[in-house]
Amino acid sequence: MTDDSSLKNAFLFRQPILNRQQELAGYQLSFRTSAATTSPPAGAAAALCAAYSELGMQSALGHSCAFIGIDSEFLQQEAIELLPPAGVVLELLLDGVADRATLTRCQDLRARGYTLAMPDYRGIDDRSRPLLPMVGIIKIDVDAADAGPLRDLAGSLRKLPIRLLAQGIGNSEQMENCRHLGFELFQGRYFAQAEIISGRRLSASQAALIRLINLVGRDVETALIEDAFKHEPALTLNLLRVVNSVGCRGSRLAQPVTSLRHAITLFGRRQLQRWLSLLLLAPGQAADPSRSPLLQVAALRGRMMELLIELGPPGNHRHLSELAFITGILSMMPVALGLPIEEILEQIAVERAVRNALCEHAGLLGNILALLECFDNDDAPGCDRLLSALPGHFDHHTLNTCLSVALRWLNGGGSE
């Protein structure tokens, strides 16, 4: 990626950016090392752009945009034009007031179709005034502004053809307030923060999904699973739709599947359990990870766990690989259901290795789950500590590559 030794051991972190419909709009990509710093390390902009190309992030991200920080030095380099204008947002990390060369370069990039973003906006001043006509997105840190100033900052920009991005959103209340003020984009992991209440009652649809997950996970006859589906007509129709669409894409079916039993058999027990578990995370989203950020985190975590198990040292890990995906999905259930994981596992039958991983971070599955939790939380020191404890040869590049492969899988680009 780069010869800069400070970045050879860097992690490619991502922070979700959502739109007003709470759907995934993009990711803020950043390089972080274990060295604590409030600013990107030297050479991070060039390395990030190189990683974007080398890891195939354009195809991996699908329709989501990558927000990439560009410092004043890299801004002038021609290599920046290798980035696809439609796939990235260039965030201007400028020190002080932009000089004439910087403004000219920004005008040129804008003319080439790039979207420019101004971070850390604090009002119209000598720094922001010359850039306002060229930027398409302005980022305002909600933690750095009180309610009054935040309202004033947003109000002063409403008449401009600029989208406002609220950065540092920590909870749904902050998001709703910013939404009311006219913000269109929201950055943070507030969607993955939930109030966990012991003894919370599950909805009827959630209880039905749990019953089906338990049936599919046990070695019961297909007729029992078929009968359970018949009591859930909406799920039955959804299953037939999904199986038919998969069949048409793969050209495996000479005719549509109309039999419920045939659909269950064709889908397979393992895939059916995955699908039902994703539905339990967000039943209203029809298990379409491209629409739900929570499903994105869960599905990515599950797929990355599979990949890391498969890349481990030779041994009897095949069975663990089969358990890895469901472990990743179940790790997000407390957020989705608002219940402690122990209470969830009282209702969903799982193997001991999965239970130990979820409740105690024990075993290989538990170690990898802990690693990916740190990875999702931009915790570079934690990632370094857990990587070094894993058996086999795992490094920063392995984790970054697994992220790209998993994203490509999630967006339909292959099943690497």
Side-chain angles (χ1 to χ4, degrees):
M1 288 184 285
T2 176
D3 291 331
D4 193 322
S5 59
S6 67
L7 292 173
K8 286 182 178 179
N9 295 322
F11 295 102
L12 179 60
F13 289 135
R14 72 201 185 282
Q15 191 167 82
I17 295 173
L18 277 58
N19 60 21
R20 290 176 66 86
Q21 289 73 45
Q22 298 301 282
E23 298 170 347
L24 187 71
Y27 286 111
Q28 176 82 56
L29 300 183
S30 62
F31 264 129
R32 298 276 183 86
T33 64
S34 292
T37 177
T38 57
S39 58
L48 191 56
C49 291
Y52 181 92
S53 299
E54 291 175 13
L55 294 176
M57 294 301 290
Q58 181 181 1
S59 62
L61 289 174
H63 298 297
S64 300
C65 270
F67 284 63
I68 298 177
I70 303 295
D71 56 31
S72 55
E73 179 181 355
F74 189 68
L75 183 68
Q76 301 295 340
Q77 298 185 23
E78 293 184 1
I80 200 172
E81 296 168 25
L82 297 176
L83 297 172
V88 299
V89 173
L90 305 180
E91 188 173 330
L92 303 172
L93 306 179
L94 308 178
D95 296 325
V97 179
D99 57 23
R100 183 177 295 276
T102 297
L103 294 175
T104 300
R105 179 59 166 161
C106 287
Q107 288 176 330
D108 177 60
L109 289 171
R110 185 169 181 266
R112 292 174 181 269
Y114 288 95
T115 298
L116 306 180
M118 183 195 304
D120 196 29
Y121 178 77
R122 298 183 183 180
I124 299 177
D125 53 19
D126 291 342
R127 169 182 170 269
S128 63
R129 188 176 294 108
L131 290 170
L132 282 176
M134 290 177 271
V135 299
I137 297 173
I138 283 182
K139 300 179 72 173
I140 300 177
D141 190 338
V142 299
D143 288 332
D146 296 329
L150 184 62
R151 182 175 57 251
D152 295 339
L153 288 173
S156 66
L157 299 169
R158 280 183 176 175
K159 295 183 180 180
L160 297 178
I162 290 174
R163 288 186 292 167
L164 299 183
L165 186 154
Q167 184 178 6
I169 298 289
N171 54 59
S172 57
E173 183 179 353
Q174 281 185 320
M175 189 280 297
E176 284 300 329
N177 179 51
C178 290
R179 196 169 182 267
H180 179 71
L181 293 176
F183 285 83
E184 296 184 40
L185 299 170
F186 311 89
Q187 182 176 339
R189 289 195 173 85
Y190 60 94
F191 62 86
Q193 308 297 323
E195 184 181 9
I196 309 298
I197 301 176
S198 182
R200 184 194 297 268
R201 290 181 63 106
L202 296 174
S203 68
S205 62
Q206 290 169 334
L209 283 166
I210 286 177
R211 285 195 297 272
L212 282 165
I213 290 170
N214 282 329
L215 279 175
V216 173
R218 299 201 305 265
D219 188 20
V220 301
E221 294 182 1
T222 301
L224 292 176
I225 300 174
E226 181 184 11
D227 181 68
F229 263 100
K230 287 178 179 177
H231 287 84
E232 304 295 335
L235 275 177
T236 298
L237 290 174
N238 206 356
L239 175 63
L240 291 172
R241 178 186 62 80
V242 170
V243 174
N244 276 312
S245 65
V246 170
C248 291
R249 261 201 320 270
S251 300
R252 294 185 291 131
L253 303 180
Q255 57 187 13
V257 175
T258 56
S259 160
L260 179 54
R261 179 174 295 220
H262 187 202
I264 293 170
T265 303
L266 191 64
F267 211 20
R269 297 288 182 97
R270 183 184 177 192
Q271 188 67 20
L272 185 56
Q273 188 180 39
R274 290 183 176 191
W275 180 70
L276 290 169
S277 298
L278 286 171
L279 279 177
L280 185 56
L281 281 169
Q285 298 290 346
D288 180 2
S290 67
R291 296 178 56 189
S292 167
L294 191 61
L295 286 178
Q296 282 267 351
V297 173
L300 276 175
R301 185 177 289 178
R303 181 59 181 139
M304 288 185 72
M305 286 192 68
E306 278 185 323
L307 292 168
L308 289 169
I309 289 286
E310 292 166 2
L311 291 172
N316 188 24
H317 293 328
R318 181 174 181 180
H319 185 54
L320 282 183
S321 177
E322 294 177 352
L323 300 177
F325 190 89
I326 199 68
T327 302
I329 292 177
L330 289 175
S331 70
M332 297 304 299
M333 289 296 180
V335 174
L337 303 182
L339 283 170
I341 188 62
E342 292 79 8
E343 291 188 21
I344 294 172
L345 295 182
E346 289 175 1
Q347 303 173 64
I348 297 180
V350 297
E351 294 197 22
R352 183 179 296 276
V354 176
R355 177 180 293 274
N356 291 341
L358 292 168
C359 295
E360 304 172 14
H361 285 131
L364 183 58
L365 284 177
N367 291 335
I368 292 178
L369 174 60
L371 168 64
L372 294 183
E373 287 174 345
C374 287
F375 194 56
D376 284 340
N377 290 322
D378 297 359
D379 180 2
C383 287
D384 271 327
R385 174 175 53 82
L386 290 162
L387 268 179
S388 64
L390 288 178
H393 181 66
F394 292 100
D395 57 17
H396 304 72
H397 185 67
T398 302
L399 200 56
N400 295 340
T401 301
C402 281
L403 170 62
S404 175
V405 171
L407 279 168
R408 191 174 299 111
W409 164 82
L410 188 64
N411 286 296
S415 57
E416 295 91 331

